[in-house]
């Protein structure tokens, strides 16, 4: 278990590319990342297991599978990160700066540039959405669950896993790797497999990988050894938990709030009450602002996410949201009282909370608009790129990195 003060776990050394597998048959490109946080090596270990089985059993894969280790230097140190969180600055402006001006002093700038150099050729030649599958773990004991940006193309993978699904986590966290890739039109699903150094976490990740490869169309179900066991393994930990939840609150820990200390004993999906004492920081007691389910309580010393609060989503709401988006009825949203389009960003909406008082947040969630920020007296809603098929135009920073990688014969 990692040290609760430093977030340090067991150090491990990995190659950037854990392995590749393919048979030349047409099919999806699947990229699995593990260890984006350096104290979360379970995803890398699970990927190595799956790659070894694919080779040993000579399984004929459609498309190609890449296993990629995230923060190599932090993995070697057994720390979540060394200078900054690698999963928080996948923002177009920051990436362009690193690509054009070169990395700054932060070690994670180098890690990010190396990952982009690896991904850029894949992104450049993609004619269909790439499946990105990101494996994580938690600092406290936790049942496995999956999370995704709330776009329809992600649902086929996320809902195929017999795990609770959490919506909106990628939207409330700025600069995540999957958020950046989803905005380019690709598929992005993450799995939180359990506690960092618990051997069961590796098992959960391995099971999720096999099920994902079938859901993505890379393997047939009958090709996967013990597929029923893998499904049962994940389903067993999901009993009694809501099938789908959405993030309603994120508690941000700013540097001036440290030390932030969670009260002991909180688990993922544990019911909490509004006003319940959940932590202490430099300002004093921290109380939950709303009732719901505790998610990802921070029991390590690094990271700016103290905890999240989620609430269940009904199956009916999920079906309604899919229908609304397929019919593209979001074009009618500006007709609602107190709602208008952003004058400079056609994919953003502005809501006057004094006028649009009736369940405005819930309405926007149905259309996938889960990123909300306060601008003056208004609420500004945005969402991930919603396309179901096809990828979006390749940004300049990816074109630059693809060109560099091509010049080196990658």
């Amino acid at each position: 278990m990692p040290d609760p003060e430093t977030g340090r776990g067991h150090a491990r050394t990995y190659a950037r590319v854990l392995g590749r597998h393919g048979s030349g048959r047409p099919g999806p490109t699947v990229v699995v990342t593990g260890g984006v946080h350096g104290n979360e090596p379970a995803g890398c270990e699970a990927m190595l297991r799956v790659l070894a089985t694919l080779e040993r059993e000579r399984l004929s894969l459609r498309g190609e599978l890449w296993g990629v280790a995230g923060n190599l230097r932090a993995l070697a140190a057994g720390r979540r990160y060394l200078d900054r969180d690698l999963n928080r600055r996948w923002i177009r402006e920051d990436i362009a700066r690193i690509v054009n001006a070169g990395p700054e002093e932060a070690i994670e700038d180098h890690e990010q540039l190396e990952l982009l150099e690896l991904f850029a050729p894949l992104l450049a030649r993609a004619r269909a959405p790439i499946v990105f599958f990101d494996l994580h773990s938690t600092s406290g004991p936790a049942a496995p669950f999956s999370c995704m940006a709330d776009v329809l193309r992600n649902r086929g993978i996320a809902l195929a896993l017999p795990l609770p699904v959490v919506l909106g986590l990628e939207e409330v966290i700025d600069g995540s790797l999957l958020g950046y890739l989803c905005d380019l039109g690709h598929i992005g699903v993450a799995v939180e497999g359990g506690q960092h150094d618990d051997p069961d976490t590796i098992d959960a990740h391995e099971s999720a990988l096999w099920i994902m490869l079938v859901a993505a169309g890379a393997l047939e179900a009958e090709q996967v050894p013990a597929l029923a066991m893998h499904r049962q393994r994940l389903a067993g930990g999901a009993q009694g938990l809501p099938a789908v939840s959405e993030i309603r609150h994120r508690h941000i820990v700013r540097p001036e709030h440290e030390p932030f200390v969670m009260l002991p004993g909180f688990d993922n999906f544990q019911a909490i009450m509004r006003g319940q004492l959940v932590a202490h920081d430099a300002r004093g007691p921290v109380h939950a602002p709303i009732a719901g389910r505790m998610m990802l309580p921070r029991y390590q010393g690094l990271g700016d996410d103290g905890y999240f609060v989620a609430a269940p989503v009904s199956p009916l709401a999920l079906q309604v949201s899919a229908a609304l988006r397929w019919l593209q009825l979001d074009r009618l949203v500006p007709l609602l009282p107190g709602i208008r389009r952003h004058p400079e960003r056609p994919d953003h909406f502005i809501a006057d909370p004094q006028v649009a008082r009736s369940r405005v947040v819930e309405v926007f969630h149905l259309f996938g608009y889960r990123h909300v920020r306060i601008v003056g007296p208004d609420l500004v809603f945005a969402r991930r790129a919603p396309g179901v098929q096809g990828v979006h135009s390749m940004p300049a920073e990816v074109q630059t990195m693809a060109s560099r990688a091509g010049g080196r014969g990658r």
Side-chain angles (χ1 to χ4, degrees), residues 306-326:
Y307 66 94
F308 300 84
V309 181
V313 176
S314 72
L316 177 60
L318 212 61
Q319 294 169 7
V320 169
S321 72
L324 290 173
R325 293 181 220 181
W326 277 109

Side-chain angles (χ1 to χ4, degrees), residues 14 47 61 111 129 132 137 147 151 173 194 243 246 262 270 277 335 338 343 361 365:
Y14 299 96
M47 189 68 246
L61 189 83
E111 295 282 346
F132 287 94
S137 53
C147 48
V151 292
I173 295 176
E246 63 182 8
M262 285 293 306
Q270 180 177 333
L277 178 66
L335 300 179
V361 173
H365 280 186

Side-chain angles (χ1 to χ4, degrees), residues 174-337:
D174 290 327
S176 71
L177 171 61
L178 287 189
Y180 172 74
L181 295 166
C182 278
D183 279 342
L184 298 183
H186 299 283
I187 295 168
V189 175
V191 169
E192 298 279 355
Q195 197 165 18
H196 293 325
D197 285 316
D198 185 342
D200 289 344
T201 303
I202 303 175
D203 294 340
H205 279 322
E206 181 185 8
S207 293
L209 282 168
W210 287 116
I211 297 168
M212 177 274 297
L213 288 172
V214 173
L219 289 173
E220 298 291 344
E222 55 268 21
Q223 290 180 278
V224 178
L227 182 61
M229 181 275 293
H230 291 301
R231 293 187 185 279
Q232 185 177 5
R233 173 187 283 165
L234 296 187
Q239 291 183 0
L241 301 180
V244 182
S245 302
E246 63 182 8
I247 297 297
R248 294 285 183 87
H249 171 73
R250 175 196 180 199
H251 182 86
I252 301 173
V253 181
R254 306 191 187 282
E256 61 268 24
H257 300 166
E258 297 286 7
F260 173 86
V261 181
M262 285 293 306
L263 266 63
F266 285 113
D267 295 333
N268 282 337
F269 298 101
Q270 180 177 333
I272 58 174
M273 299 180 296
R274 179 181 179 182
Q276 181 174 341
L277 178 66
V278 296
H280 292 87
D281 64 17
R283 301 166 298 175
V286 176
H287 298 90
I290 59 174
R293 302 277 186 141
M294 173 65 72
M295 297 299 300
L296 299 174
R298 195 190 86 173
Y299 288 114
Q300 60 190 9
L302 294 177
D304 57 4
D305 300 317
Y307 66 94
F308 300 84
V309 181
V313 176
S314 72
L316 177 60
L318 212 61
Q319 294 169 7
V320 169
S321 72
L324 290 173
R325 293 181 220 181
W326 277 109
L327 295 172
Q328 298 182 358
L329 293 183
D330 56 329
R331 63 183 183 274
L332 302 179
V333 169
L335 300 179
L336 298 174

Side-chain angles (χ1 to χ4, degrees), residues 63-253:
E64 60 178 339
L65 169 66
W66 290 69
V68 178
N71 196 335
L72 298 184
R73 296 160 179 86
L75 282 162
R79 293 178 59 86
R80 180 177 174 86
Y81 57 83
L82 299 179
D83 291 324
R84 66 169 178 84
D85 195 324
L86 183 59
N87 205 31
R88 294 294 183 274
R89 235 167 56 195
W90 289 86
I91 298 170
R92 291 285 303 277
E93 295 77 6
D94 289 322
I95 295 172
R97 173 184 53 77
I98 295 173
V99 169
N100 296 322
E104 296 180 352
E105 293 184 1
I107 286 175
E108 276 73 21
D109 281 3
H110 295 271
E111 295 282 346
Q112 188 169 4
L113 195 62
E114 290 167 14
L115 285 170
L116 189 61
E117 182 181 5
L118 177 63
F119 293 156
L122 299 177
L123 297 169
R125 69 173 185 253
R127 297 296 176 266
I130 298 171
V131 178
F132 287 94
F133 201 63
D134 194 19
L135 302 177
H136 287 267
S137 53
T138 58
S139 57
F145 66 93
S146 69
C147 48
M148 66 172 188
D150 190 12
V151 292
L152 294 184
R153 63 180 174 275
N154 287 340
R155 291 189 180 184
I157 299 296
L159 296 178
L161 301 169
L163 291 173
V165 179
V166 177
L167 305 175
L169 193 60
E170 296 296 328
E171 281 82 358
V172 299
I173 295 176
D174 290 327
S176 71
L177 171 61
L178 287 189
Y180 172 74
L181 295 166
C182 278
D183 279 342
L184 298 183
H186 299 283
I187 295 168
V189 175
V191 169
E192 298 279 355
Q195 197 165 18
H196 293 325
D197 285 316
D198 185 342
D200 289 344
T201 303
I202 303 175
D203 294 340
H205 279 322
E206 181 185 8
S207 293
L209 282 168
W210 287 116
I211 297 168
M212 177 274 297
L213 288 172
V214 173
L219 289 173
E220 298 291 344
E222 55 268 21
Q223 290 180 278
V224 178
L227 182 61
M229 181 275 293
H230 291 301
R231 293 187 185 279
Q232 185 177 5
R233 173 187 283 165
L234 296 187
Q239 291 183 0
L241 301 180
V244 182
S245 302
E246 63 182 8
I247 297 297
R248 294 285 183 87
H249 171 73
R250 175 196 180 199
H251 182 86
I252 301 173
V253 181

